Amino acid sequence: MAEDLKIISGDREDQYKSLLPQIKGLLDGETDLIANLANISAALKEQFNFFWVGFYLVKDNELVLGPFQGPVACTRIAYNRGVCGAAWAKEETLIVPDVEQFPGHIACSSLSKSEIVIPFYVKGMLMGVLDVDSESINNFNEIDEKYIKEILSLIN
Ligand code: SME
């Protein structure tokens, strides 16, 4: 397993293309879920320097904070609450270009302006969501969705 990430500059898609095989390498042969989620959040943070990258895991019918990179965050999110709770309830990706326009958005930090939340699965079972927050308005689109889904599909 390579322990150094090769960080590249370039457009967002090129950055994902460079990162994807490296994350694959990091996860290869490692079955511990927390270790893998920790490295995925670190790799995304390191390559893109997003404001906050982290996982919330489904536990007893709520989301509980898991491995993340960035400032401290809310620890528990109820079903269908906030962007994370809504992505979990709908079981679909939510891209929020302006968090102030999202009814019920949970502001863990006032610096976060846009976010993408993607559910993830292990062996077909919904385990939680990955939340990526940006300090810029409208910082996420279908390219992020496509590649982050590919990254999340590596979790086993
Ligand atoms: N904004 C999220 C809460 C999580 S934090 O931003 C890290 C939400 O509305 O669900």
Side-chain angles (χ1 to χ4, degrees):
M1 185 198 91
E3 272 131 20
D4 283 333
L5 212 58
K6 183 176 161 236
I7 302 301
I8 67 151
S9 48
D11 73 14
R12 182 84 53 100
E13 187 159 21
D14 287 342
Q15 294 183 58
Y16 279 116
K17 282 182 178 162
S18 154
L19 194 60
L20 193 57
Q22 297 190 75
I23 292 181
K24 203 168 187 306
L26 283 168
L27 269 53
D28 219 21
E30 178 52 70
T31 54
D32 187 87
L33 180 65
I34 298 300
N36 286 335
L37 301 186
N39 263 340
I40 290 172
S41 53
L44 284 166
K45 174 77 173 165
E46 213 179 329
Q47 173 61 58
F48 296 102
N49 199 24
F50 292 129
F51 177 67
W52 196 91
V53 182
F55 290 90
Y56 281 92
L57 304 173
V58 176
K59 287 185 187 170
D60 296 333
N61 214 36
E62 61 184 347
L63 291 173
V64 182
L65 184 63
F68 72 96
Q69 296 275 317
V72 294
C74 338
T75 52
R76 288 172 190 269
I77 297 177
Y79 185 76
N80 213 14
R81 276 216 56 224
V83 186
C84 292
W88 170 31
K90 291 185 166 73
E91 284 201 42
E92 66 184 38
T93 300
L94 292 180
I95 296 174
V96 180
D98 178 354
V99 295
E100 284 183 14
Q101 305 303 317
F102 188 94
H105 166 255
I106 300 165
C108 292
S109 165
S110 60
L111 294 174
S112 173
K113 300 282 189 266
S114 61
E115 65 181 279
I116 181 170
V117 179
I118 304 178
F120 75 99
Y121 303 80
V122 174
K123 296 179 179 56
M125 259 187 61
L126 180 77
M127 298 299 287
V129 299
L130 173 65
D131 179 14
V132 185
D133 292 6
S134 170
E135 286 169 290
S136 313
I137 290 270
N138 200 14
N139 198 13
F140 302 105
N141 62 31
E142 293 66 32
I143 296 287
D144 300 281
E145 178 176 3
K146 172 176 184 254
Y147 285 96
I148 293 175
K149 276 184 173 165
E150 278 194 49
I151 292 168
L152 296 177
S153 75
L154 301 171
I155 303 168
N156 48 39

